[in-house]
Amino acid sequence: MAASAPGAASTSKAVASDAKDGDTKDVQKPIAALEEDDEFEDFPVEDWTEEDTQLPGGNTHLWEESWDDDDTNDEFSVQLKEELKRVGKK
Amino acid sequence: MNQLIERFQLCIAEGNGTELAEIFSTKAPASNPGLFYDLRQGSNAQQIEDYIHYTITPRNGFPFDSAEVNAWTEVFVNYWKAVGELISLHESTDQGKLRDGQFGEVYDVWKAYTNSLIKHHNSSVLPFWTIPCLYKALTELRTYAIKADEQSVNTKGNVTFNTGLQDDIVSSVGKNEKLEDYARVLNRVFNMCLQDRAPIEYSRKWGTYYTANLMFKTYFKLNAISLSKNMVQAINAQFDMPPLHRFPNSEIVTFKYYIGVMTFLREDYVQAEKNLTEAWQLCHKSAYKNHQQILTYLIPCRLITTHKLPTSELLSPYPRLQALFGPIAACIRKGNLAGFDAALSAGEDEFVKRRIYLTLERGRDIALRNLLRKVFLAGGYEPLKEGQTEADLIRRTRIPTAEFAAAIRMGLGADGKLLEDDEVECMLANMIYKNLMKGYISRERAMVVLSKTAGMAFPGTGV
């Protein structure tokens, strides 16, 4: 899996472990093929209207703006709180 | 041949450059798969020249003067010669028996055809509106250059060149011979378009961005990105260049993408963000791969400029980007320093290949900021004094350095044990210097005193 993408772990883990016994080639090939061509592609049409630029789902909410959803209960945060308590007591 | 000439005559009569370009194709159309064989059969270079020259005259309804008759004849003859090589290329490919250097031969004949177009555009014998033929010829020529170079690397390597020259010179000479040659051809066309003095309605200046985009692609492939800069400057220096927005969207988006990546690599992230964002917004909705390419640079870019991370909605249509950025973004979001370091090193090869490693590395500051911010939030509020209400609540803004130190040590995991207090102070000072955290360090009290103004302790994060 040397050539796997950084976090490919998250998406390809399942596939990779399934294939461990036998043909890992099949798993690696598509990755290699994807890597080959990192070029900006020619558009099949020369020009288009604004309508043709609208992605489904629109362009909003694509970047994290809000910090309201601060999750203070994930494992890391809980651990942090414990740690801070310990420091505070010293 | 007659069929081709008929189509040619129609396009000339209609002034349809796009259709005209389709005539000089590298593949026989699906509707007439035997076309190339028909073209080649029962003729030779001399006959074909006489035939074309005789046919495309005013007598037969072609609106050409003698110079244009000669020009098109030359173009047709060179195309006809290229078709011979193309037939043999297609046959060899189908049989899986490509000869050594075969792509090189195709490159050479296709280049001769392309050159005949350039020559007659340069002297303005061919009308400006036929320039799509040149676009197509150049686009195909680039493919052949790349294939030819790949083939020559695969078959002979660089060994044969190694006659006492320094290794680095040798390898760079052999490796991209055709593509470098192609870049010179392209450069001629670029300058021809750029410097055309014809009135703008008839100007080849309209070909500038198309060729500029081909140059970007070629320079990026050759790893000679710095050359792109000269090209961009040359465009900007043309005072009578029509504004970019008057060009087709395909050209605008491609140009902005490359400008974006170019400025990204120069670490001019403000310009990069601007251009990449515009490319993103204007990109055709079904150009999946191009969206992906734009985001590959826009995501690290925005991490630096606005400290923003992509949402899962943004990444979800692109599994590849999710794999690339998902883990590292999650660690930044959580302020997980050890996880960040692990994700960065796990993805190192991929990040380096795309030239985004150094930019992403700077995301560690944001991970650290988010961690420190968590400490701040965990600190809660100052106790209310008499007469104060909930609305008067302010956060505890004096944080013992030890709390930050504990958080950082925890965040670093195993490495955290080695972290000394001085280093922690240094990290905190850096955060303040970079404006990611507002306040000062009081060494006597071993405290960090953060800004009391609401939303200013960690600017842009709401607290």
Side-chain angles (χ1 to χ4, degrees):
Chain A
M1 287 301 288
S4 78
S10 57
T11 45
S12 65
K13 206 181 262 167
V15 194
S17 53
D18 284 351
K20 217 171 246 170
D21 308 314
D23 43 0
T24 39
K25 271 179 207 160
D26 288 350
V27 185
Q28 291 192 355
K29 257 185 192 161
I31 298 172
L34 278 174
E35 279 177 359
E36 262 177 26
D37 199 9
D38 258 341
E39 209 162 69
F40 207 69
E41 288 183 340
D42 293 334
F43 290 98
V45 283
E46 190 192 349
D47 213 349
W48 51 83
T49 62
E50 204 186 323
E51 231 166 71
D52 295 325
T53 66
Q54 303 300 324
L55 285 169
N59 270 329
T60 47
H61 309 306
L62 296 180
W63 303 91
E64 278 182 349
E65 299 267 1
S66 136
W67 292 83
D68 297 342
D69 57 348
D70 269 323
D71 183 6
T72 49
N73 291 317
D74 64 299
E75 200 189 325
F76 187 75
S77 298
V78 171
Q79 217 185 334
L80 178 68
K81 272 185 219 157
E82 291 298 314
E83 187 68 21
L84 291 177
K85 254 185 228 162
R86 232 168 39 79
V87 178
K89 275 180 195 156
K90 264 188 210 167
Chain B
M1 199 63 186
N2 282 335
Q3 198 197 352
L4 218 58
I5 298 281
E6 269 170 40
R7 280 173 67 197
F8 176 70
Q9 186 161 22
L10 196 67
C11 293
I12 292 286
E14 288 174 350
N16 188 339
T18 317
E19 275 297 308
L20 185 66
E22 291 304 314
I23 293 179
F24 300 99
S25 177
T26 55
K27 269 196 224 96
S31 58
N32 185 3
L35 176 70
F36 276 14
Y37 290 97
D38 294 346
L39 282 180
R40 292 291 299 185
Q41 263 161 23
S43 196
N44 59 45
Q46 185 54 47
Q47 275 176 14
I48 201 85
E49 185 169 347
D50 293 344
Y51 174 74
I52 303 282
H53 199 268
Y54 176 80
T55 310
I56 59 169
T57 54
R59 189 162 36 87
N60 290 334
F62 286 86
F64 298 153
D65 59 15
S66 68
E68 201 173 349
V69 170
N70 291 338
W72 282 118
T73 304
E74 192 182 331
V75 169
F76 266 106
V77 170
N78 279 306
Y79 176 68
W80 184 85
K81 286 179 185 163
V83 165
E85 289 294 333
L86 287 171
I87 290 176
S88 103
L89 177 70
H90 295 324
E91 284 175 351
S92 307
T93 311
D94 288 347
Q95 296 161 2
K97 288 184 202 156
L98 280 171
R99 275 180 288 112
D100 287 354
Q102 188 161 9
F103 271 112
E105 290 162 24
V106 174
Y107 174 83
D108 290 338
V109 290
W110 194 258
K111 182 183 159 187
Y113 158 68
T114 309
N115 273 336
S116 58
L117 284 168
I118 298 173
K119 181 173 134 193
H120 298 297
H121 271 289
N122 226 344
S123 58
S124 295
V125 172
L126 297 183
F128 77 101
W129 62 264
T130 63
I131 205 162
C133 296
L134 189 50
Y135 292 169
K136 192 172 164 73
L138 288 169
T139 305
E140 301 289 357
L141 188 61
R142 181 169 177 277
T143 314
Y144 295 136
I146 292 169
K147 296 240 175 180
D149 288 340
E150 279 171 8
Q151 210 188 12
S152 71
V153 167
N154 286 341
T155 52
K156 63 185 173 199
N158 297 314
V159 191
T160 47
F161 290 92
N162 207 340
T163 50
L165 284 168
Q166 278 179 358
D167 281 351
D168 52 343
I169 298 175
V170 171
S171 58
S172 68
V173 166
K175 214 172 122 199
N176 292 310
E177 196 192 338
K178 296 291 188 199
L179 195 59
E180 281 169 9
D181 183 66
Y182 172 75
R184 288 187 284 274
V185 175
L186 202 51
N187 205 27
R188 279 173 58 204
V189 180
F190 175 73
N191 284 316
M192 175 183 86
C193 291
L194 193 66
Q195 286 155 16
D196 193 357
R197 290 274 162 264
I200 199 65
E201 313 88 274
Y202 312 113
S203 177
R204 285 174 187 79
K205 273 202 163 64
W206 294 107
T208 304
Y209 284 104
Y210 193 96
T211 40
N213 288 333
L214 282 175
M215 280 170 96
F216 266 134
K217 280 188 188 180
T218 306
Y219 288 151
F220 272 65
K221 182 103 185 165
L222 286 172
N223 235 334
I225 298 170
S226 57
L227 293 176
S228 315
K229 204 177 150 192
N230 303 341
M231 174 188 82
V232 175
Q233 280 170 352
I235 297 177
N236 291 338
Q238 289 290 318
F239 65 96
D240 53 352
M241 190 70 186
L244 182 57
H245 69 81
R246 291 188 55 199
F247 286 77
N249 279 332
S250 58
E251 293 174 26
I252 301 175
V253 172
T254 309
F255 190 75
K256 283 189 184 291
Y257 166 77
Y258 278 107
I259 292 275
V261 179
M262 190 181 90
T263 45
F264 178 91
L265 297 175
R266 284 212 309 261
E267 299 184 25
D268 182 351
Y269 295 115
V270 174
Q271 275 303 313
E273 185 187 2
K274 179 173 170 286
N275 283 284
L276 291 169
T277 306
E278 285 166 356
W280 169 263
Q281 286 165 346
L282 207 56
C283 192
H284 194 281
K285 61 183 170 191
S286 54
Y288 177 84
K289 249 201 82 183
N290 287 345
H291 277 125
Q292 185 170 276
Q293 277 306 115
I294 295 170
L295 286 180
T296 303
Y297 296 94
L298 189 55
I299 289 170
C301 188
R302 298 208 73 169
L303 183 60
I304 303 293
T305 51
T306 56
H307 310 140
K308 276 177 192 150
L309 293 166
T311 57
S312 49
E313 284 102 312
L314 179 58
L315 288 181
S316 63
Y318 311 97
R320 200 173 155 202
L321 294 179
Q322 209 150 28
L324 199 61
F325 296 117
I328 202 164
C331 294
I332 293 174
R333 191 171 294 131
K334 282 190 179 162
N336 180 354
L337 295 174
F340 177 89
D341 293 341
L344 190 67
S345 88
E348 183 171 341
D349 290 348
E350 289 294 311
F351 296 145
V352 167
K353 221 183 79 193
R354 297 186 169 79
R355 304 184 172 99
I356 54 178
Y357 181 87
L358 294 175
T359 310
L360 286 176
E361 199 181 25
R362 290 169 63 175
R364 197 172 194 275
D365 283 340
I366 310 303
L368 178 59
R369 191 268 314 264
N370 292 351
L371 175 62
L372 301 182
R373 186 175 170 277
K374 279 195 176 181
V375 176
F376 180 59
L377 292 185
Y381 296 91
E382 296 285 356
L384 288 177
K385 290 176 196 139
E386 238 187 272
Q388 284 185 321
T389 64
E390 292 259 312
D392 299 317
L393 272 179
I394 56 164
R395 289 193 176 274
R396 188 181 67 141
T397 50
R398 290 160 180 245
I399 317 271
T401 320
E403 288 189 18
F404 284 130
I408 296 172
R409 286 199 178 100
M410 203 195 98
L412 283 172
D415 295 340
K417 297 197 178 75
L418 302 168
L419 189 75
E420 296 190 16
D421 285 345
D422 284 349
E423 288 179 74
V424 172
E425 261 185 46
C426 178
M427 289 164 100
L428 294 172
N430 250 320
M431 283 289 108
I432 295 170
Y433 171 73
K434 288 177 178 166
N435 229 349
L436 290 168
M437 177 168 99
K438 269 214 156 78
Y440 63 90
I441 303 172
S442 164
R443 297 203 71 189
E444 310 81 67
R445 296 180 190 182
M447 293 250 185
V448 177
V449 182
L450 291 168
S451 171
K452 274 187 182 165
T453 320
M456 286 308 285
F458 293 87
T461 71
V463 293

